[in-house]
Amino acid sequence: MLRRVSTRVLICWTLLFLMLLSLVGGAVALAAGLDLPGLYDQLKNDPTYQPYRQELLNEYLKLNSNEQAMDNDLRSFLADVQARLSQADTSSLKDEAGVNALVMKTAAEVLFTDKKYTTLANALAATSDIQSILKGNFPPSLEPVRKEVVNALLGSGGQAAAGGGGTAAPSAGTEEEIQRDTAAGVVTWRVNPEAAAGIKDNKLVLSLAGETAPTRTFSLPPALLQDLGQKKADLELDYGPVVLTLPAASLAALSSSGGADLTFRQESLDPARVKDANGPGYNGAGMVYTLTAGDKAGLPAGVPARIKYEERQGLDRDLLGVYQVKSDGSLVYLGGHGVDGSPYLEFSLPGDGSYAVLEYRADFADLAGHWAARDVQVMAARHIAAGVGEGRFEPDRDITRAEFTSLLQRVLGLPVKGTVTGFSDVPADAWYAPSVAAAVRAGLVHGYEDSTFKPDNPVTRAEMAAMLGNALALQGLAVKVEPGQVEAVLQPYRDQAAVPSWARPAMAAAVTAGIVGGREGGLAPLERATRAEAIVMLERLMDKPGWR
């Protein structure tokens, strides 16, 4: 009987353990300081776990026990297992079988050497789901979890991994390097200079992803930073919800100031405060994460970063963005690009500060049923498209040269430095003067022979195609259409003869790139472009592979 109970209990425990690990939010090590009892409290409300929990509860009730007793037993059991695992040697783990063997061995030692878990053992043994698992029928809903955790623990190549690769949290025997203040919710890893020995592929990876404390700090000694700089190795710091990659060139400033304590702190977003400071339309998609480098040099600007968002029903990924959250609740949009389908956005960190992922849904009453409604909504979430007041967008209104130039400047993120344009009809105090000046410096737009820009003139589709072609070239994505192919590209359009000679190469390139489409079978090159058309073309430009 004992052998029968042992096998079933251990398999059920393995399922539970893997599910708990999946809640951590990233790759973890067995000795990375997991709060298993705390994670169980989260798991209790997870829909995926409910069938197993309910069946176990039913068995507890048959044993003259109750739900509170079951929860107490499980929390105590997990705490004891965690304590044993924290002392275990995980350095020899090489495959999935090794991980399972360690977990099962540890669970068995706890379950069968302490009489207080007799009820738990008997209840687990009686669950019918175990019978299915014993026959090899692993629940399909848990298969992604199992694969994720196995990859996290073993690495995609089958080798033991921790964090993102390289060096993770210190293993058993080096506990003095990690200091935990459970009451304060703080964990600090005082990294040894010798950690540089873990450099792999010109990168050192340090991970606290397995920690659950709200505040996590990497205390980096100057010797380590100097060593990495000399070896031209980047430093990746994985906090779990946030991952920073400090380029080797940026480490010098941190090392010269006597090392650095790079701290991560998470807290809930205050929706009411955000709405008061920024208006409606913003929905939080995760926690607020504050990143600082102590009172020394501060985090370098331009550091590549990844930030996690919550995957939940109703969340529109196309409307997500990374924002810096100011002390008054106001938001600064920082962009953000998806990371291979994972729940992370990549962005460029401007330095110390608080950051969060939010969904932004702009509401324009005059876009209901419009062919470009979705495109405008997406570009509004990217803070490119903006309304004209009173909840309107006016999608079918002509767009002026000044308006389109300003949009293009925002799309490209061109730095605004001064308002001198050289055009006689662009006053220095005009709202569009900085954007026009930036676009002129970048070679995106040109004026007329009489030194005017004609900012209030509607932009034609031919002019817009020329500007879009210049933008592609500026991004290194220029579409090369050989001179002999220009006519072949334009020929299918009924009004191709109306395309001016100066605009024909640019129009052919824009059509080939899929940015400019037809209008009623033609290109309408001399027709005025609408605000909706401009937004759609700019969205196609931003969605080109390789756009940065």
Side-chain angles (χ1 to χ4, degrees):
M1 176 63 180
L2 181 60
R3 182 178 181 182
R4 174 173 172 269
V5 172
S6 173
T7 302
R8 293 177 179 178
V9 167
L10 293 178
I11 291 178
C12 187
W13 157 247
T14 301
L15 278 174
L16 179 60
F17 185 73
L18 293 180
M19 292 172 71
L20 286 169
L21 286 179
S22 74
L23 296 178
V24 177
V28 297
L30 289 176
L34 294 173
D35 176 14
L36 293 184
L39 290 175
Y40 170 69
D41 288 336
Q42 298 178 43
L43 184 64
K44 283 198 308 181
N45 300 316
D46 190 300
T48 306
Y49 177 60
Q50 290 310 304
Y52 304 98
R53 173 180 168 76
Q54 186 59 51
E55 187 175 22
L56 185 61
L57 176 58
N58 292 340
E59 296 303 327
Y60 255 79
L61 296 177
K62 293 177 184 178
L63 296 171
N64 297 318
S65 192
N66 54 54
E67 183 173 5
Q68 185 61 53
M70 181 184 76
D71 286 336
N72 290 340
D73 282 351
L74 281 170
R75 289 194 194 93
S76 177
F77 173 63
L78 292 173
D80 287 346
V81 171
Q82 176 180 314
R84 299 265 186 121
L85 286 173
S86 68
Q87 303 299 320
D89 181 7
T90 61
S91 60
S92 62
L93 292 181
K94 294 182 179 180
D95 53 30
E96 182 178 347
V99 174
N100 288 337
L102 175 61
V103 173
M104 289 182 179
K105 177 177 180 292
T106 305
E109 291 174 351
V110 173
L111 198 61
F112 299 117
T113 58
D114 196 325
K115 293 183 179 180
K116 67 182 179 183
Y117 296 127
T118 300
T119 302
L120 175 61
N122 290 333
L124 283 170
T127 57
S128 61
D129 278 305
I130 300 302
Q131 300 296 328
S132 178
I133 294 171
L134 286 171
K135 294 177 182 178
N137 299 321
F138 196 84
S141 61
L142 296 181
E143 183 62 24
V145 172
R146 187 189 71 80
K147 288 183 178 180
E148 177 183 345
V149 175
V150 169
N151 289 337
L153 290 172
L154 302 176
S156 57
Q159 299 298 315
T167 303
S171 58
T174 58
E175 185 65 22
E176 69 277 2
E177 294 182 4
I178 286 211
Q179 299 174 352
R180 295 185 179 87
D181 185 340
T182 305
V186 175
V187 59
T188 301
W189 181 3
R190 300 193 180 284
V191 185
N192 284 334
E194 291 77 11
I199 293 174
K200 183 178 180 181
D201 298 327
N202 293 322
K203 181 189 292 185
L204 174 65
V205 178
L206 303 177
S207 177
L208 285 175
E211 298 289 342
T212 57
T215 301
R216 306 164 204 175
T217 297
F218 290 99
S219 185
L220 306 171
L224 173 63
L225 298 171
Q226 292 167 4
D227 195 6
L228 293 174
Q230 292 171 357
K231 294 177 179 178
K232 293 182 169 42
D234 297 340
L235 175 60
E236 181 174 297
L237 301 178
D238 185 356
Y239 294 98
V242 173
V243 181
L244 305 180
T245 302
L246 301 171
S250 71
L251 300 177
L254 293 175
S255 64
S256 64
S257 60
D261 290 340
L262 273 59
T263 298
F264 156 100
R265 185 179 74 254
Q266 66 180 29
E267 58 187 333
S268 298
L269 183 73
D270 186 341
R273 192 157 170 263
V274 168
K275 182 177 180 179
D276 289 343
N278 306 277
Y282 291 96
N283 302 303
M287 305 283 280
V288 177
Y289 306 111
T290 299
L291 302 164
T292 60
D295 56 358
K296 299 178 181 177
L299 284 165
V303 169
R306 300 195 300 274
I307 183 171
K308 191 174 185 179
Y309 59 86
E310 296 176 357
E311 292 185 291
R312 64 172 185 266
Q313 187 174 5
L315 193 69
D316 192 331
R317 292 186 180 184
D318 292 336
L319 305 184
L320 297 181
V322 182
Y323 295 80
Q324 184 170 15
V325 184
K326 297 293 189 178
S327 59
D328 61 355
S330 60
L331 302 172
V332 178
Y333 179 66
L334 300 176
H337 300 278
V339 183
D340 298 329
S342 68
Y344 283 84
L345 294 181
E346 289 182 332
F347 71 107
S348 179
L349 190 79
D352 287 7
S354 298
Y355 305 93
V357 177
L358 291 96
E359 176 191 60
Y360 178 58
R361 293 178 178 268
D363 185 16
F364 299 116
D366 56 354
L367 278 174
H370 195 278
W371 65 270
R374 175 60 177 176
D375 304 273
V376 173
Q377 184 183 43
V378 171
M379 291 295 275
R382 296 176 183 177
H383 294 269
I384 301 299
V388 296
E390 299 179 356
R392 295 177 300 110
F393 184 76
E394 297 185 356
D396 299 318
R397 175 170 66 77
D398 295 343
I399 187 168
T400 68
R401 285 170 53 83
E403 288 173 329
F404 186 71
T405 300
S406 296
L407 287 173
L408 198 55
Q409 178 264 321
R410 292 208 297 274
V411 164
L412 290 164
L414 299 177
V416 176
K417 300 176 181 177
T419 59
V420 178
T421 64
F423 299 122
S424 59
D425 56 351
V426 178
D429 59 354
W431 67 266
Y432 50 81
S435 294
V436 172
V440 169
R441 283 194 301 272
L444 291 176
V445 296
H446 306 284
Y448 295 89
E449 294 180 355
D450 60 356
S451 297
T452 62
F453 184 73
K454 296 181 172 50
D456 297 324
N457 278 16
V459 66
T460 67
R461 285 167 55 88
E463 290 174 326
M464 197 158 61
M467 292 187 219
L468 292 168
N470 290 336
L472 281 171
L474 190 63
Q475 290 286 299
L477 301 174
V479 176
K480 295 182 179 179
V481 180
E482 299 298 329
Q485 295 298 315
V486 170
E487 299 307 316
V489 172
L490 300 180
Q491 189 60 42
Y493 298 94
R494 58 178 176 76
D495 57 355
Q496 59 85 21
V499 179
S501 58
W502 59 267
R504 295 183 78 81
M507 183 66 80
V511 169
T512 302
I515 294 176
V516 173
R519 183 197 275 184
E520 298 178 356
L523 291 169
L526 303 182
E527 297 293 327
R528 298 172 174 181
T530 66
R531 283 168 52 81
E533 287 176 327
I535 288 300
V536 170
M537 292 183 193
L538 288 172
E539 183 187 17
R540 292 170 181 169
L541 180 71
M542 294 184 74
D543 289 344
K544 292 294 294 180
W547 182 266
R548 59 185 187 277

